[in-house]
């Protein structure tokens, strides 16, 4: 995207609009407008080539007993392993198609590709039409003094780059810091660590925004639970109507020797979010003690199955790379947790397992049939409107930025970055955690009935989170 000969149109408020509808679904209980698995060969022909493709290679294998695929971007595109596309599904065609679409979503989220950023301004000069960055969680002042800490303190008078998004709360365009939307390397220090959290792709704009919002809901729920050490309800896997759910857990127990626990929580919006955990009952010090995962979806059993399908490959990957000596060092010094891979490595160590003790290991288990389902609708835009309304009713805005790249547009796909001010974002590297300036994180345990009073900041969980 050459600044001289590139032909990207300018990013303007006039280009921002709510996701258009209708977006008809194949059935009320299906939350995609089309099945990706049937597009595998088409997407492969468009994007995969070892010499010239956006995607350099596409490989698939059974990891943890589940089909998994990796769509690797060319080295010129990224050197970060987390920027490749990963697909974990019930069958290989779906896994490969999902991996390719996720790779395209990653490319679209690294830097702006469809529009040229035009607004460079101080927050003080655009505050009436801009998101206040402080509502997204920044850092306490002393964090900026850490050696090698890349980010700069927020200064309302300092000029930064902004992009336009759609605010569901205002029903109007809203400026958002570019560094919160696009998470690729920058020449200037951003305001905070940002990742692909809230980024999603879909067959239409509403689908992309819906799944971006579900990812925000997932990370917000499990991280608020972690930092506030809130209780969760253990789930009876045998109560599932979808018999694949207990079968996946049994497969991990039979093949890899791990017990599987699942817990469910729902924040005030009522989205079912599952925290799943594989635990080594033998306590072999050469094997990871615990591996965690999570997922959210409007349909509870779909969310749980997705969490378990992703847990298997994650567990097998940890078994392959687990280093007991390194895990011990991470457990002894949280500041050594610097990258994504360090978080699950840490909780492989037996000495860190006690940090998960707030999750109940015994007692009554909740039947999946007791978890409220989602109202049946034929239109995905109606599902998105309902979920966004629940956030607005709880005092939280939903902001969607269209990140659809020319490549995704050519494939008739859409992508979006969804931001919910006040939600807890996922970060990797313990020094990058963003819990400062999020009053909802401190009040949520009280409002959900777990405490009589708000938490103080010094009462938050001081340890790195366990999620990959």
């Amino acid at each position: 995207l050459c600044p001289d000969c590139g032909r990207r149109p300018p990013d303007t408020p006039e280009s921002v609009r709510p996701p258009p509808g209708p977006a008809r679904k194949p059935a009320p209980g299906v939350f995609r407008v089309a099945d990706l698995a049937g597009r595998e060969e088409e997407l492969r022909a468009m994007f995969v080539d070892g010499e010239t493709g956006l995607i350099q290679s596409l490989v698939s294998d059974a990891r943890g007993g589940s089909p998994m695929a990796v769509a690797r971007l060319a080295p010129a595109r990224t050197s970060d392993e987390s920027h490749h596309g990963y697909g974990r599904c019930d069958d290989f065609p779906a896994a490969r198609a999902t991996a390719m679409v996720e790779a395209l979503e990653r490319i679209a989220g690294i830097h702006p590709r469809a529009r040229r950023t035009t607004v460079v301004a101080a927050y003080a000069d655009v505050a009436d039409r801009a998101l206040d960055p402080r509502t997204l969680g920044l850092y306490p002042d002393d964090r900026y003094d850490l050696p090698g800490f890349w980010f700069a303190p927020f200064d309302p008078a300092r000029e930064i780059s902004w992009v336009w998004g759609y605010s569901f709360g205002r029903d109007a365009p809203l400026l958002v810091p570019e560094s919160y939307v696009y998470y690729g390397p920058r020449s200037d220090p951003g305001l905070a660590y940002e990742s692909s959290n809230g980024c999603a792709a879909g067959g239409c704009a509403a689908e992309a925004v819906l799944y971006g919002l579900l990812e925000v809901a997932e990370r917000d729920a499990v991280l608020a639970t972690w930092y506030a050490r809130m209780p969760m309800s253990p789930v009876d896997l045998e109560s599932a109507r979808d018999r694949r759910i207990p079968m996946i857990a049994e497969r991990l127990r039979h093949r890899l020797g791990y017990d599987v626990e699942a817990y469910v929580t729902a924040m005030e919006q009522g989205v079912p979010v599952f925290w799943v955990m594989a635990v080594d009952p033998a306590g072999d010090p050469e094997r990871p003690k615990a591996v965690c995962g999570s997922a959210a979806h409007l349909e509870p059993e779909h969310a749980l199955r997705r969490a378990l399908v992703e847990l298997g490959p994650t567990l097998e990957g940890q078994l392959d790379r687990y280093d007991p000596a390194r895990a011990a060092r991470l457990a002894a010094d949280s500041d050594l947790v610097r990258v994504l891979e360090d978080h699950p490595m840490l909780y492989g160590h037996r000495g860190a397992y006690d940090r998960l003790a707030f999750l109940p290991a015994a007692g009554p288990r909740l039947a999946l049939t007791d978890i409220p389902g989602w109202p049946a609708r034929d239109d995905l835009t109606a599902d998105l409107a309902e979920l966004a309304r629940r956030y607005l009713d709880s005092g939280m805005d939903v902001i969607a930025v269209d990140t659809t790249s020319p490549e995704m547009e050519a494939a008739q796909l859409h992508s979006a970055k969804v931001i919910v001010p006040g939600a807890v974002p996922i970060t990797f590297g313990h020094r990058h955690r963003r819990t400062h300036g999020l009053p909802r994180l401190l009040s949520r345990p009280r409002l959900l009935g777990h405490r009589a009073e708000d938490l103080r900041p010094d009462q938050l969980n001081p340890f790195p989170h366990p999620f990959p």
Side-chain angles (χ1 to χ4, degrees):
L1 301 178
C2 176
D4 295 322
C5 62
R7 293 293 182 266
R8 291 178 297 167
D11 182 35
T12 65
E14 290 75 24
S15 65
V16 173
R17 58 184 62 86
R24 299 297 179 192
K25 304 191 295 185
V30 175
F31 296 92
R32 297 279 189 187
V33 293
D35 181 15
L36 270 180
R39 300 191 63 190
E40 179 198 350
E41 293 305 320
E42 173 197 358
L43 295 170
R44 186 195 293 264
M46 291 180 72
F47 298 113
V48 182
D49 186 276
E51 297 291 336
T52 61
L54 277 174
I55 299 170
Q56 188 176 56
S57 65
L58 178 65
V59 297
S60 55
D61 194 4
R63 301 282 290 174
S66 298
M68 177 181 172
V70 181
R72 301 191 70 83
L73 299 174
R77 301 286 176 186
T78 184
S79 60
D80 191 322
E81 284 293 311
S82 69
H83 291 174
H84 300 301
Y86 297 85
R88 304 172 183 91
C89 299
D90 295 325
D91 58 77
F92 283 105
R96 288 188 287 264
T98 299
M100 287 185 282
V101 172
E102 184 170 275
L104 296 176
E105 174 226 296
R106 294 289 194 259
I107 291 174
I110 295 174
H111 297 290
R113 296 182 66 81
R115 290 181 299 278
R116 176 168 43 86
T117 299
T118 58
V119 180
V120 179
Y123 173 70
D125 296 330
V126 294
D128 62 325
R129 55 192 181 279
L131 173 66
D132 186 341
R134 291 166 291 194
T135 64
L136 298 170
L138 296 177
Y139 302 112
D141 291 341
D142 60 353
R143 194 80 57 82
Y144 298 100
D145 297 329
L146 292 174
F149 196 71
W150 172 247
F151 304 101
F154 172 67
D155 178 356
R158 179 166 68 94
E159 289 190 342
I160 61 173
S161 297
W162 303 82
V163 295
W164 288 100
Y166 173 74
S167 164
F168 282 79
R170 300 189 186 198
D171 188 22
L174 186 70
L175 286 168
V176 182
E178 183 188 67
S179 62
Y180 276 99
V181 177
Y182 299 99
Y183 52 88
R186 304 180 62 82
S187 59
D188 61 307
L191 296 172
Y193 180 102
E194 192 50 69
S195 68
S196 63
N197 184 47
C199 295
C204 65
E207 184 179 314
V209 175
L210 175 65
Y211 279 87
L213 186 50
L214 285 172
E215 184 165 277
V216 171
E218 171 197 334
R219 273 38 185 304
D220 175 56
V222 295
L223 289 167
T225 298
W226 171 257
Y227 287 121
R229 287 180 276 208
M230 291 188 289
M232 300 182 80
S233 300
V235 172
D236 178 11
L237 298 181
E238 289 295 334
S239 68
R241 295 188 183 96
D242 185 341
R243 301 311 298 163
R244 290 173 293 183
I245 288 174
M247 288 177 63
I248 295 170
E250 179 58 31
R251 185 170 60 205
L252 293 177
R253 192 161 31 244
H254 177 71
R255 293 188 177 185
L256 302 177
Y258 277 74
D259 293 336
V260 175
E261 296 289 345
Y263 308 88
V264 67
T265 188
M267 305 305 277
E268 58 269 46
Q269 297 81 22
V271 177
V273 179
F274 289 87
W275 177 331
V276 294
M277 182 166 62
V279 180
D280 177 21
D284 182 347
E286 298 301 313
R287 285 160 47 96
K289 175 61 180 177
V291 174
C292 296
S294 61
H297 197 270
L298 300 178
E299 203 284 312
E301 291 200 6
H302 184 105
L304 177 54
R305 183 165 58 84
R306 180 172 158 230
L308 293 172
V309 164
E310 295 195 358
L311 181 65
T314 302
L315 173 58
E316 190 162 329
Q318 288 302 307
L319 285 165
D320 289 344
R321 69 176 67 96
Y322 183 62
D323 180 343
R326 175 158 179 75
R329 293 192 295 271
L330 296 173
D333 184 354
S334 294
D335 194 52
L336 294 178
V337 177
R338 295 296 179 93
V339 295
L340 182 153
E341 293 79 10
D342 291 339
H343 289 263
M345 178 72 72
L346 161 60
Y347 288 93
H349 192 264
R350 291 180 298 167
Y353 184 62
D354 286 347
R355 301 176 189 179
L356 297 159
F358 66 91
L359 298 173
R365 297 181 180 272
L366 184 68
L368 284 160
T369 52
D370 292 337
I371 300 173
W374 188 257
R377 294 184 174 87
D378 296 320
D379 187 347
L380 203 64
T381 54
D383 291 319
L384 173 59
E386 168 63 18
L387 184 55
R389 182 194 62 77
R390 294 187 184 193
Y391 275 91
L392 300 183
D393 288 350
S394 65
M396 305 176 77
D397 196 4
V398 174
I399 303 161
V401 180
D402 181 3
T403 60
T404 304
S405 65
E407 297 85 0
M408 298 196 79
E409 190 172 5
Q412 297 182 316
L413 295 168
H414 297 258
S415 63
K417 167 79 171 189
V418 177
I419 297 169
V420 177
V424 185
I426 194 164
T427 56
F428 300 106
H430 188 51
R431 58 171 52 187
H432 296 144
R433 66 195 182 279
R434 286 164 50 192
T435 59
H436 183 71
L438 296 177
R440 174 177 166 274
L441 176 59
L442 305 177
S443 64
R444 200 53 30 197
R446 173 181 58 80
L447 296 175
L448 292 176
H450 300 309
R451 290 177 57 91
E453 56 190 22
D454 288 357
L455 286 167
R456 301 188 309 273
D458 63 299
Q459 292 176 310
L460 293 175
N461 194 332
F463 298 115
H465 69 75
F467 298 101

